[in-house]
Structures are given as structure tokens and as C-alpha cells.
Amino acid sequence: MTTPPDLPMLPAALHAPLQAGRPLLWLNPGLGGALPARAPSAADVGDAARRLARSAGLLQALFPETCATSGIIDSPLLDVPALQAGLGLDRTQLGTLLLKADHLLPVAGSIKARGGFHEVLAHAEALAVEAGLMDHEGDLAALRAPAAHELFSQRTIAVGSTGNLGMSIGIMAAALGFSAVVHMSADAKPWKKDRLRERGVMVVEHAGDYAAAVAAGRAQCAVDPNGYFVDDENSLLLFLGYAAAARQLGDQLAQAGRTPSSDAPLFVYLPCGVGGAPGGIAYGLKQLFGAHVHCFFAEPTASPCMLVQLAAGVGRNVSVYDVGLDNRTDADGLAVPKASPLASSLMAPLLSGIHTVDDAQLYLDLYQAWRTQGLEIEPSAAAGFGGPRWLAQTPEGRGYLDLHGLVRSLARATHVVWSTGGGLLPEKEHLRFRATAESLAP
Ligand SMILES: *Cc1c(COP(=O)(O)O)cnc(C)c1O
């Protein structure tokens, strides 16, 4: 492989392990820097959280399965002692492992629910307020009125997706009466396309990768005056919807008596694709808990787009292909060649680090979740499970703990691994994942 011209932007120590696809933990040297000008405020995140709260009645009417949580899109925070033991993480030494079970999020079955729903609802709300069909900051139940449905039926909402974002946006947009179009990349799974079509969503298939599907969708929407494109690489509304999860986690930690403090740090491990979902959540958590929370992302060894972006420097045009990687992974939710400019610029001063994981490890960790706790997740959703191991059991990780004075408080730490998807998968897919894991087990 010839060295691409912009590889010298990356620290030399990263070249060999990245290009060989060797799993690694990268620590962010930019941690603690200044946020960019016009970074979203806590009030902005609060607005998004309130918009989702204002949709509770609407969601219960549209999706009866949300009645169990009173129309609030949230997932349980699970104590997972058997998984913790299965992963080889000693509770008395390393603290407590909890699992934020977003694979159980109602309707969308993935971490994409909060962000995707938030952006569709915000767009619908803006149209309805403009048309005089609801009050500013009113109850979003008004979006179910026949006049609103009629208004939305003349409009299109489109998105590019490898699968889960398309489900979240497509299902919500179609339920409100919009015509919904999802541009999908070649690696999107056939059952996801079928599921969307069943819900009345138009699926456009593209031969290229995720970035190509997004670009095609964006271009098509640009020439349609009634079209609205949810831009996963730049959308603030998506980002803020994701960030709302931080407050939910904060409440759940408080209930568990685990509010982070200088004496009891919080570590969060989030699978990263384009960076919007984990970025929004990390952003919200840093607003709430500052230096007491340490956010790590997890990316496939074939698609470490955020790692490459942050290591090269924000604003540089760089993709995983430039490093000689092929972006091919079974973690379809994370198969993204290029990070979101919005998410990467906001993560540059806030993110603690990124660890990479190969597909075999994803299957083994997915299998552990099943064997120990009966959880059924997709490969992408297992990406963060190795995070605590990297932190506590490698020289790089110990270096981070030392640098931040965390060694003494580690036993009282909380580690939250975020399981991000899999709730809507057909049982056949889960069986296939477990068969793959069994074939890999040593
Ligand atoms: C999309 C997705 C992610 C990552 O979200 P990004 O916003 O793309 O970074 C993680 N896990 C699953 C299952 C996903 O679908």
C-alpha cells in the first residue's frame, strides 16, 4: 500500500497498528481544550429534552408500546454482575459495571431513537406552528390532528443510513404522515430494508458506502422544495436529541446512589459511527458532570473514523480510506468512513479516548451478553464492552488513570457500557450472531 499524502498528519506511533487493524487504545491529547465558538449550551440540550417530553402524549397515541414508559423514550440502566464477571472485571478492584440498554428503546430499537425522533418532531413542530396548527412550545399531540397530517403528507423527510438511523427517522416521519425516504448504503441489512418498507418508508439503495448514501440523499433533497434532509454528518437537532439521554442517565445514576463525584468517577463507553449519537451523549454528560465523567468511544478496527479525525486534527479532510483501511465490518451501525464534522469538533476537547475492536471480539462480547444476562444485541452494540478492560488492564489505560489521579477511586467507580442496538432484529439474526460467536470461541 502506498502511503497516502495526508497520512503524515497522524502521529507516527499510530500508523502501524491502525493500518494492521490491531486493536488499540488512543488517548486524546486535546482533552481539556476549549470548546469551539457557538457550541450548544445546556439550555439548548434542555430544549431538546423538553421537546421529547412534550411529545409523550403524541408518542403514546402513535406507538402503544411507549405507554409502558408514559411516552418517554428511555431505556433501563441494568446492573450486570454476571456480565461483569464474564468480561473478567473484578468489581472490588475496578468498580461497578452497568449497562445502558438502548437496544431496548421502544419503537426504533436503537440509540438512534432519541436523536432521530427529536429531529423529525422538531421539523414537524416548526411546520405546524408556522401553519397556525399549534402553539409555540405546545403539546406535540397537536401533530396528530387531520390538518397536520394533511400538511405533512405534502412533504418529504429523507435521510442516509446504514440502517438504524433510517428506522428511527423513517418510522417517525411515516407515522406523522410525511413521505419518508431512506437512502441506504450497500452494507445495510436486507431485513432492515424490508422492515422499513413494511412501515411505508421508501428505501433507495446505493452501491457505495455510508458517506456516499448520505451525499446522494443530500443532493436529491436539495432540489426538492418540499424535501427536508436529516444530515447525519452535520445535524445539531440530531445531536441535541441524543444529548437528552445524558439527563436520563444522570437521573438513573442518582437513583442508584451513583452520582459521579471526585471520589467516585464515572466512565462511559460508547460505540461510535459518524459520532453524533455518542457525541451528543458525551456532550450532555460533560455538561452535567464535568471532570467527574470520562467518555470513551469504541470503533471497529476497520472504521476508526473519529480516531483518525481527532488524531489528524479537527477540520482536516480525512477518512479511514486515507489510512489504507477498507471500512468493512459486521458492525454495520459503525461502518462509517468519515466522522461528523459537528461531532468531531465538539468532541475534540471533551473525549478521553477511543479504543478499537475487531469483529471477532464484537461477536465474543455479544455472546457474553447473551450467556451471562440473556441480552440480545447486535454486533455494533457490543463495541464498548472492552472499554473497561482497556482502561484497567493495559499500560495506556493505567497511564490515563494515573494522569487523572483516578487509581485510588477506581474501586468506587461506575463503568457504563452503552448497548446501542439490536432490539428490532429478527430472532434469526440473533441466532446467526451466536453461531458466529460459537465458531470463534477459543
Ligand atoms: C448509529 C449507531 C451507533 C453510533 O452512532 P453514530 O451517531 O453513527 O456515531 C452505535 N450503535 C448502533 C447500533 C448504531 O446504529
Side-chain angles (χ1 to χ4, degrees):
M1 174 118 244
T2 51
T3 303
D6 48 5
L7 197 52
M9 306 169 172
L10 295 180
L14 277 175
H15 294 190
L18 268 183
Q19 292 185 318
R22 259 203 311 282
L24 59 91
L25 171 64
W26 172 81
L27 298 173
N28 178 17
L31 175 64
L35 276 168
R38 298 212 312 274
S41 66
D44 294 331
V45 179
D47 284 344
R50 271 194 305 282
R51 178 171 288 114
L52 288 170
R54 284 189 287 118
S55 75
L58 172 71
L59 294 194
Q60 290 179 81
L62 292 177
F63 308 108
E65 65 265 44
T66 64
C67 291
T69 52
S70 308
I72 301 300
I73 299 295
D74 197 14
S75 68
L77 179 65
L78 303 174
D79 192 15
V80 286
L83 175 61
Q84 172 154 15
L87 293 171
L89 304 167
D90 185 308
R91 194 165 271 211
T92 56
Q93 284 178 28
L94 304 183
T96 299
L97 184 76
L98 301 175
L99 185 132
K100 182 63 178 157
D102 268 9
H103 65 289
L104 299 176
L105 280 181
V107 186
S110 82
I111 193 168
K112 298 299 194 303
R114 298 184 199 83
F117 291 0
H118 178 254
E119 176 144 11
V120 173
L121 292 167
H123 178 58
E125 178 180 359
L127 292 173
V129 169
E130 190 186 87
L133 297 174
M134 71 172 273
D135 296 334
H136 180 64
E137 306 232 326
D139 188 331
L140 291 172
L143 301 182
R144 272 188 80 225
H149 202 278
E150 167 65 21
L151 173 70
F152 301 151
S153 70
Q154 296 153 26
R155 305 272 178 158
T156 299
I157 293 184
V159 67
S161 175
T162 61
N164 287 334
L165 184 63
M167 304 273 266
S168 169
I169 300 283
I171 289 170
M172 181 59 72
L176 290 173
F178 288 94
S179 88
V181 181
V182 176
H183 296 268
M184 291 190 120
S185 50
D187 41 9
K189 298 285 177 287
W191 72 265
K192 288 188 180 171
K193 298 175 193 168
D194 296 343
R195 186 69 59 94
L196 282 168
R197 290 183 173 123
E198 279 162 26
R199 295 266 194 162
V201 176
M202 187 173 140
V203 175
V204 184
E205 299 178 52
H206 295 276
D209 66 12
Y210 179 67
V214 171
R218 191 188 287 131
Q220 237 177 58
C221 248
V223 298
D224 175 3
N226 289 321
Y228 178 86
F229 185 66
V230 176
D231 195 333
D232 198 17
E233 292 174 351
N234 295 293
S235 166
L236 189 58
L237 287 170
L238 271 182
F239 191 85
L240 294 173
Y242 293 131
R247 296 170 179 230
Q248 297 174 335
L249 178 67
D251 291 345
Q252 289 173 320
L253 289 169
Q255 270 164 32
R258 297 199 150 271
T259 295
S261 68
S262 56
D263 197 43
L266 172 65
F267 299 90
V268 182
Y269 309 92
L270 292 147
C272 176
V274 75
I281 292 170
Y283 195 78
L285 287 172
K286 291 301 271 187
Q287 278 184 343
L288 288 180
F289 301 123
H292 303 327
V293 60
H294 306 268
C295 300
F296 290 86
F297 287 177
E299 300 192 296
T301 48
S303 313
C305 63
M306 185 63 76
L307 196 170
V308 165
Q309 183 69 69
L310 293 182
V314 166
R316 288 249 167 93
N317 187 13
V318 58
S319 83
V320 303
Y321 303 130
D322 298 328
V323 186
L325 295 170
D326 62 7
N327 190 36
R328 297 173 82 93
T329 166
D330 284 359
D332 52 344
L334 313 180
V336 175
K338 205 173 169 311
S340 149
L342 173 71
S344 54
S345 67
L346 294 175
M347 284 303 97
L350 299 180
L351 192 65
S352 293
I354 299 175
H355 79 86
T356 59
V357 50
D358 60 29
D359 281 14
Q361 191 64 47
L362 289 178
Y363 282 110
L364 294 174
D365 288 343
L366 170 153
Y367 193 80
Q368 282 284 3
W370 161 255
R371 191 184 63 79
T372 56
Q373 309 278 164
L375 303 171
E376 294 192 301
I377 63 176
E378 61 183 272
S380 296
F385 286 25
R389 276 193 302 254
W390 275 107
L391 194 67
Q393 299 170 1
T394 66
E396 300 90 323
R398 301 299 299 189
Y400 181 89
L401 294 173
D402 269 336
L403 183 65
H404 295 275
L406 296 163
V407 175
R408 276 190 315 116
S409 54
L410 193 58
R412 290 178 299 281
T414 305
H415 303 267
V416 173
V417 292
W418 214 283
S419 78
T420 48
L424 294 190
L425 264 68
E427 188 53 25
K428 214 173 65 181
E429 297 291 317
H430 290 298
L431 290 171
R432 208 168 49 79
F433 295 154
R434 296 202 284 274
T436 304
E438 277 161 5
S439 75
L440 292 167

